[in-house]
Amino acid sequence: MQIRFTTGISLLLSQAVLAVLLLQPAAAQQPQWKDTAEYELVVNGVGKETNPQKRLQLLQQWEEKYPDSAFKNNRNQAMLQTAQQAGDAALMKKAAQKLAADDPSGVFGLIGYQSLNLLTVSMNDKSEAALADGEKAAKGLLGVIEQVKKPDQVAEDAWAKEKANNQVLAHRALGWIEWQRKNFTGAEGHFVDALKINPNNGEISGWLGTVILLQRNPDKQAFGLYHFARAASLEG
């Protein structure tokens, strides 16, 4: 599964790994529908509706009628995907926050934290409240990637790559947040950490050059200009 944002960045959890995670047995007792009406609303309503706006309405009906549904994590994930299709970033953020809150150490929480880290930057909300939300989400992502266990079917190197990608995503968000707070040295530290994990990220290299030059430290100007040139060579 991939969710595309206006920045062109996608969720970093690969489709193959996500599929394995979601198929892992969560408990000995499988979740059940509350009643036949819930089943009909979801399977024959939400499941068959292709118009994003109408599907959002059905998902909201499901949430209103069955707030404690055994499938609420699946509902939040569907809300996130459908809101993205409808171009509603605010609703995406709300759904992602629910995923993170309802499954803070599991795969649904991982999806929520990933989405929140991407939305922190793509929504470009520089208010302190939004930046605080973003910081919480980035730290949450760094925590949850250590708690979600590697499925037996996933190779060690593939799992290590997933963790590394999410670490880059979190440091990218944290660096952007400190940049907006005008803590340029703090932003520099996070961008450097991200590039240690993925040296070929041209976007972050360009951002690193920017925050270094904003520090107006003559001793670091050459380093900042180097990262501008490096970003251009990586991104074309």
Side-chain angles (χ1 to χ4, degrees), residues 53-95:
Q53 294 294 347
K54 292 181 179 178
R55 193 165 190 249
L56 282 174
Q57 293 175 2
L58 290 170
L59 286 165
Q60 288 165 345
Q61 287 180 30
W62 183 14
E63 185 174 36
E64 290 169 2
K65 293 180 179 179
Y66 301 92
D68 298 321
S69 172
F71 298 93
K72 65 180 179 180
N73 284 324
N74 307 79
R75 179 174 63 210
N76 290 334
Q77 185 189 12
M79 185 74 78
L80 174 66
Q81 292 175 302
T82 308
Q84 189 275 330
Q85 293 168 358
D88 192 332
L91 191 55
M92 285 180 69
K93 181 176 179 179
K94 183 178 179 181

Side-chain angles (χ1 to χ4, degrees), residues 164-185:
N165 286 339
N166 281 289
Q167 288 169 338
V168 170
L169 184 59
H171 285 296
R172 172 183 180 269
L174 288 168
W176 185 85
I177 290 165
E178 294 307 323
W179 178 6
Q180 308 318 308
R181 288 171 170 167
K182 302 191 185 305
N183 177 10
F184 303 130
T185 56

Side-chain angles (χ1 to χ4, degrees), residues 73-183:
N73 284 324
N74 307 79
R75 179 174 63 210
N76 290 334
Q77 185 189 12
M79 185 74 78
L80 174 66
Q81 292 175 302
T82 308
Q84 189 275 330
Q85 293 168 358
D88 192 332
L91 191 55
M92 285 180 69
K93 181 176 179 179
K94 183 178 179 181
Q97 287 174 325
K98 288 181 180 179
L99 280 168
D102 291 343
D103 192 26
S105 60
V107 63
F108 287 105
L110 178 58
I111 295 168
Y113 282 124
Q114 285 180 322
S115 302
L116 289 169
N117 276 262
L118 290 165
L119 286 164
T120 293
V121 179
S122 66
M123 290 180 74
N124 199 34
D125 185 343
K126 301 176 184 179
S127 67
E128 183 51 41
L131 296 178
D133 284 345
E135 183 177 24
K136 180 180 178 181
K139 292 178 178 178
L141 179 57
L142 290 173
V144 74
I145 59 177
E146 297 299 330
Q147 297 178 52
V148 177
K149 294 182 179 180
K150 182 189 81 65
D152 293 337
Q153 301 96 316
V154 177
E156 290 286 351
D157 58 343
W159 192 245
K161 184 178 180 180
E162 298 292 347
K163 292 179 68 174
N165 286 339
N166 281 289
Q167 288 169 338
V168 170
L169 184 59
H171 285 296
R172 172 183 180 269
L174 288 168
W176 185 85
I177 290 165
E178 294 307 323
W179 178 6
Q180 308 318 308
R181 288 171 170 167
K182 302 191 185 305
N183 177 10

